[in-house]
Amino acid sequence: MDVDALSSALAGCRLTELGLREPAQVAAVQVPAELSDWSRWLAEIGFLPGEGVELLALGPFGGDPLVVRVGDSTFALRRAEAACVRVTRMAGGGAGR
């Protein structure tokens, strides 16, 4: 595996790139500098490294908002907010279990 492929594999993907009900774990929250308050808010509602997460549903007409389960809580996030959450896909099982 070359360096770029390895780096990509370690970085995971964005929460918005998960399939419905695909189990994953939060890897990191990366927000644009001008939206630094989003980082604190996402942490407060449970988007912390290692926490189980899954995408439950997409809104109509472009998929906004997204219904997301993190740990034992369920939230509606705007697509821009969810795109700040980096995740690592997990094999089998449900998120947060």
Side-chain angles (χ1 to χ4, degrees), residues 13-18 26 28-31 38 41-42 45 47 53-55 57-58 63-68 75-87:
C13 67
R14 291 187 172 121
L15 177 55
T16 54
E17 297 169 351
L18 286 180
V26 175
V29 174
Q30 299 173 331
V31 300
W38 283 13
W41 175 72
L42 288 165
I45 64 172
F47 289 91
V53 64
E54 70 182 304
L55 181 60
L58 301 173
D64 219 0
L66 290 79
V67 180
V68 178
F75 298 97
L77 298 180
R78 292 178 287 192
R79 183 169 286 281
E81 295 162 341
C84 295
V85 179
R86 301 291 299 186
V87 300

